[in-house]
Amino acid sequence: IMSGDGASSASSSSSRSIGFTRFYHEHFLAEHSHPVNVALHVFGTVLSGAVLLMALLYGPLWMALLYPLLHVGPGLLGHYLFEPNALVGSVRVTREDFPLRWFLAGNHVMLWRLVTKGRR
């Protein structure tokens, strides 16, 4: 059974029990250690944010629809080419162990930590 956030009911209960911070440190970072993969995730996060901002400020608004593809695409390429995971393979959008929004948020946290050199 799927919940609204893309996680199965069993995994959504386990993901709620660990919380995002623990997920980020124990799961997300463990799957994002290859420097080229991290660079592709950062590139996708920055590019998608820039395109979304430009679309909202200057138009055309249909360009905002590119946000999900630009945000996730480079990261998926990084996992496919540089850092596959034996448990889930390279196609991570089909994951059900944690909410999809946590992976998207993880990209932003990873970018923030790289920009601020890990400072809070």
Side-chain angles (χ1 to χ4, degrees):
I1 299 172
M2 297 295 289
S3 65
D5 58 10
S8 69
S9 57
S11 67
S12 103
S13 62
S14 65
S15 65
R16 278 193 296 263
S17 66
I18 72 163
F20 175 78
T21 301
R22 187 170 163 198
F23 155 79
Y24 178 77
H25 290 286
E26 292 180 10
H27 299 277
F28 188 86
L29 289 179
E31 297 178 7
H32 297 84
S33 59
H34 193 285
V36 177
N37 185 33
V38 170
L40 286 168
H41 277 73
V42 167
F43 172 74
T45 302
V46 170
L47 178 65
S48 64
V51 168
L52 179 63
L53 186 64
M54 295 297 286
L56 295 175
L57 292 177
Y58 304 110
L61 288 178
W62 66 263
M63 285 182 57
L65 297 173
L66 296 173
Y67 176 83
L69 179 65
L70 295 174
H71 187 94
V72 175
L76 289 176
L77 183 65
H79 285 294
Y80 182 75
L81 296 176
F82 302 102
E83 195 169 24
N85 181 296
L87 295 176
V88 296
S90 57
V91 183
R92 292 164 183 271
V93 294
T94 60
R95 288 187 75 157
E96 296 182 0
D97 50 349
F98 296 101
L100 179 60
R101 67 180 181 272
W102 284 10
F103 290 95
L104 298 176
N107 288 339
H108 291 276
V109 172
M110 183 168 57
L111 171 62
W112 178 255
R113 290 180 57 97
L114 286 169
V115 168
T116 63
K117 295 182 176 52
R119 294 185 299 263
R120 289 186 169 236

Coordinates of all heavy atoms in Angstrom, one line a residue, residues 40-52 55 62-76 104 107:
L40 N 27.4 15.9 -9.2 CA 26.2 15.9 -10.0 C 24.9 16.2 -9.3 O 24.0 16.9 -9.8 CB 26.1 14.5 -10.7 CG 27.1 14.3 -11.9 CD1 27.1 12.8 -12.3 CD2 26.8 15.2 -13.0
H41 N 24.8 15.7 -8.0 CA 23.7 16.1 -7.2 C 23.6 17.6 -6.9 O 22.6 18.2 -7.0 CB 23.7 15.3 -5.9 CG 23.2 14.0 -5.9 ND1 23.9 12.9 -6.5 CD2 22.1 13.4 -5.5 CE1 23.2 11.8 -6.4 NE2 22.1 12.1 -5.8
V42 N 24.8 18.2 -6.6 CA 24.9 19.6 -6.3 C 24.5 20.4 -7.6 O 23.7 21.3 -7.6 CB 26.3 20.0 -5.8 CG1 26.5 21.5 -5.8 CG2 26.5 19.4 -4.4
F43 N 25.0 20.0 -8.8 CA 24.7 20.6 -10.0 C 23.2 20.6 -10.3 O 22.6 21.6 -10.7 CB 25.5 19.9 -11.2 CG 25.1 20.4 -12.5 CD1 25.5 21.6 -13.0 CD2 24.3 19.6 -13.3 CE1 25.1 22.1 -14.3 CE2 23.9 20.0 -14.6 CZ 24.4 21.3 -15.1
G44 N 22.6 19.4 -10.1 CA 21.2 19.3 -10.4 C 20.4 20.2 -9.4 O 19.4 20.8 -9.8
T45 N 20.7 20.3 -8.2 CA 20.0 21.1 -7.2 C 20.1 22.5 -7.5 O 19.1 23.3 -7.5 CB 20.6 20.8 -5.8 OG1 20.4 19.4 -5.5 CG2 19.8 21.6 -4.7
V46 N 21.3 23.0 -7.9 CA 21.5 24.4 -8.2 C 20.8 24.8 -9.5 O 20.1 25.8 -9.6 CB 23.0 24.7 -8.2 CG1 23.3 26.1 -8.8 CG2 23.7 24.6 -6.9
L47 N 21.0 23.9 -10.5 CA 20.4 24.2 -11.8 C 18.9 24.2 -11.7 O 18.3 25.2 -12.3 CB 20.9 23.1 -12.8 CG 20.3 23.3 -14.2 CD1 20.7 24.6 -14.9 CD2 20.6 22.1 -15.1
S48 N 18.3 23.3 -11.1 CA 16.9 23.2 -11.0 C 16.3 24.4 -10.2 O 15.3 25.0 -10.6 CB 16.4 21.9 -10.3 OG 16.8 21.8 -9.0
G49 N 17.0 24.8 -9.1 CA 16.6 26.0 -8.4 C 16.7 27.3 -9.2 O 15.8 28.1 -9.2
A50 N 17.8 27.4 -10.0 CA 17.9 28.6 -10.8 C 16.9 28.6 -11.9 O 16.3 29.7 -12.2 CB 19.3 28.6 -11.5
V51 N 16.6 27.5 -12.5 CA 15.6 27.5 -13.6 C 14.2 27.8 -13.0 O 13.4 28.5 -13.6 CB 15.6 26.1 -14.4 CG1 14.3 25.9 -15.2 CG2 16.8 26.0 -15.2
L52 N 13.9 27.2 -11.9 CA 12.6 27.5 -11.2 C 12.5 28.9 -10.9 O 11.4 29.6 -11.1 CB 12.5 26.6 -9.9 CG 11.2 26.8 -9.2 CD1 10.0 26.4 -10.0 CD2 11.2 26.0 -7.9
A55 N 12.0 31.0 -14.1 CA 10.7 30.8 -14.6 C 9.6 31.5 -13.8 O 8.7 32.2 -14.4 CB 10.3 29.3 -14.6
W62 N 6.0 27.7 -17.9 CA 6.0 26.3 -18.2 C 7.4 25.8 -17.9 O 7.6 24.6 -17.7 CB 5.7 26.0 -19.7 CG 6.6 26.6 -20.7 CD1 6.5 27.7 -21.4 CD2 7.9 26.0 -21.1 NE1 7.6 27.9 -22.2 CE2 8.4 26.9 -22.1 CE3 8.5 24.8 -20.8 CZ2 9.6 26.6 -22.7 CZ3 9.8 24.6 -21.4 CH2 10.3 25.5 -22.4
M63 N 8.4 26.6 -17.9 CA 9.8 26.2 -17.6 C 9.9 25.6 -16.1 O 10.8 24.8 -15.8 CB 10.8 27.3 -17.8 CG 11.1 27.5 -19.3 SD 12.3 28.8 -19.5 CE 13.7 28.2 -18.6
A64 N 9.0 26.1 -15.3 CA 9.0 25.6 -13.9 C 8.7 24.1 -13.9 O 9.1 23.4 -12.9 CB 7.9 26.3 -13.1
L65 N 8.1 23.5 -14.9 CA 7.8 22.1 -15.0 C 9.1 21.3 -15.2 O 9.1 20.1 -15.0 CB 6.8 21.8 -16.2 CG 5.4 22.4 -16.0 CD1 4.6 22.2 -17.3 CD2 4.7 21.9 -14.8
L66 N 10.2 22.0 -15.6 CA 11.5 21.3 -15.7 C 12.1 21.0 -14.4 O 13.1 20.2 -14.3 CB 12.4 22.1 -16.6 CG 12.0 22.3 -18.0 CD1 12.9 23.3 -18.7 CD2 11.9 21.0 -18.8
Y67 N 11.7 21.6 -13.3 CA 12.3 21.5 -12.0 C 12.6 20.1 -11.6 O 13.7 19.7 -11.3 CB 11.5 22.3 -10.9 CG 12.1 22.1 -9.6 CD1 13.1 22.9 -9.1 CD2 11.6 21.1 -8.7 CE1 13.7 22.7 -7.9 CE2 12.1 21.0 -7.4 CZ 13.2 21.8 -7.0 OH 13.7 21.6 -5.8
P68 N 11.5 19.2 -11.6 CA 11.8 17.8 -11.1 C 12.8 17.1 -11.9 O 13.7 16.4 -11.4 CB 10.4 17.1 -11.2 CG 9.4 18.2 -11.3 CD 10.1 19.4 -11.9
L69 N 12.8 17.2 -13.2 CA 13.7 16.5 -14.1 C 15.1 17.1 -13.9 O 16.1 16.3 -13.8 CB 13.3 16.7 -15.6 CG 14.2 16.1 -16.6 CD1 14.2 14.6 -16.5 CD2 13.8 16.5 -18.0
L70 N 15.3 18.4 -13.8 CA 16.6 19.0 -13.6 C 17.2 18.7 -12.2 O 18.4 18.6 -12.0 CB 16.6 20.5 -13.9 CG 16.2 20.9 -15.3 CD1 16.1 22.4 -15.4 CD2 17.3 20.4 -16.3
H71 N 16.3 18.6 -11.2 CA 16.7 18.3 -9.9 C 17.2 16.9 -9.7 O 18.2 16.6 -9.1 CB 15.6 18.6 -8.9 CG 16.0 18.5 -7.5 ND1 16.4 19.6 -6.8 CD2 16.1 17.5 -6.6 CE1 16.7 19.3 -5.5 NE2 16.5 18.0 -5.4
V72 N 16.4 15.9 -10.3 CA 16.7 14.5 -10.0 C 17.6 13.9 -11.1 O 18.4 13.0 -10.8 CB 15.4 13.7 -10.0 CG1 15.6 12.3 -9.8 CG2 14.6 14.2 -8.8
G73 N 17.6 14.4 -12.3 CA 18.3 13.8 -13.5 C 19.8 13.7 -13.3 O 20.3 12.5 -13.4
P74 N 20.5 14.7 -12.9 CA 21.9 14.6 -12.8 C 22.3 13.6 -11.6 O 23.3 12.9 -11.7 CB 22.4 16.0 -12.4 CG 21.4 16.9 -13.1 CD 20.1 16.1 -12.9
G75 N 21.5 13.6 -10.5 CA 21.8 12.7 -9.4 C 21.6 11.2 -9.8 O 22.4 10.4 -9.5
L76 N 20.6 11.0 -10.6 CA 20.3 9.6 -11.1 C 21.5 9.2 -12.0 O 21.9 8.0 -11.9 CB 19.0 9.5 -11.8 CG 17.7 9.6 -11.0 CD1 16.5 9.6 -11.8 CD2 17.7 8.5 -9.9
L104 N 15.0 14.4 -1.7 CA 15.1 15.7 -2.3 C 15.7 16.7 -1.3 O 16.5 17.5 -1.6 CB 13.7 16.2 -2.8 CG 13.2 15.3 -3.9 CD1 11.8 15.8 -4.3 CD2 14.1 15.3 -5.2
N107 N 19.4 16.4 -0.8 CA 20.2 17.1 -1.8 C 20.4 18.5 -1.3 O 21.5 19.1 -1.4 CB 19.5 17.1 -3.1 CG 19.5 15.8 -3.8 OD1 20.3 14.9 -3.5 ND2 18.6 15.5 -4.7

